[in-house]
Amino acid sequence: MAYVTSAGAQPPAPPATPPATSDGCIFCDALASGDDRGNRILRRGPKAFLILNKYPYASGHVMAAVNRHVGSLEETASEEIGQVMELVQAAVRALGRAYAPEGFNVGLNQGRAAGAGVPKHLHIHVVPRWSGDVNFMPVVSDTRVLPESLDTTYDRLLVALGS
Ligand SMILES: [Zn+2]
């Protein structure tokens, strides 16, 4: 699993999203599907949506993406970016309620060279952070306790977003 394995390191760059499994786009496929729970879509808006990262850097790692299949800031309308940022803000609020993180990494990678895993569909990562990020990685008797499941995260964030 692609979780943090070294605590206390420098703040990481926003992680790349694993490539789409087919020739489709994971964001467009998720939007087109009617199964928001299965696709971990947390909120849909007219121009943007919020989705849980299935390959989280940390529990609570979400992405706000434009609805349209465009890969650069130049191609987006200001109202699209505005809605993406509203979702980023809603995510930060919800994550704060549900997880009380000490900080956030919020980042956009435009282009493969910049680390974008899905370079053709613009999205912004929101990753909750803790000092050293040890809260999610307690070691008990040499056994690493895995972070919560995506299902649990999804449910917690849905509740937190709803209020
Ligand atoms: Zn797309």
Side-chain angles (χ1 to χ4, degrees):
M1 299 180 103
Y3 293 113
V4 193
T5 52
S6 62
Q10 69 283 5
T17 306
T21 50
S22 64
D23 55 351
C25 164
I26 60 165
F27 293 105
C28 289
D29 287 351
L31 266 185
S33 166
D35 182 9
D36 281 0
R37 167 166 288 274
N39 287 291
R40 310 302 203 303
I41 291 177
L42 289 156
R43 181 175 283 184
R44 287 174 181 261
K47 308 258 180 215
F49 68 107
L50 186 66
I51 186 169
L52 204 58
N53 193 326
K54 289 184 181 175
Y55 306 94
Y57 188 84
S59 286
H61 178 174
V62 300
M63 299 175 290
V66 290
N67 288 350
R68 284 197 305 136
H69 185 76
V70 292
S72 69
L73 287 164
E74 309 95 281
E75 293 171 277
T76 58
S78 57
E79 59 179 357
E80 288 176 304
I81 284 300
Q83 288 191 15
V84 166
M85 288 311 296
E86 284 172 16
L87 288 172
V88 166
Q89 190 178 43
V92 166
R93 282 200 195 102
L95 286 163
R97 284 191 199 108
Y99 294 92
E102 297 171 357
F104 294 91
N105 285 115
V106 177
L108 185 160
N109 303 326
Q110 179 169 314
R112 187 76 74 185
V118 185
K120 299 207 158 121
H121 199 130
L122 202 71
H123 55 281
I124 296 181
H125 295 268
V126 180
V127 182
R129 299 300 307 271
W130 287 260
S131 299
D133 286 338
V134 291
N135 285 4
F136 275 124
M137 296 290 162
V139 174
V140 180
S141 304
D142 291 333
T143 302
R144 179 174 292 150
V145 179
L146 287 175
E148 67 188 15
S149 72
L150 285 175
D151 280 336
T152 302
T153 304
Y154 184 78
D155 287 333
R156 287 177 73 174
L157 286 181
L158 264 193
V159 169
L161 279 165
S163 52

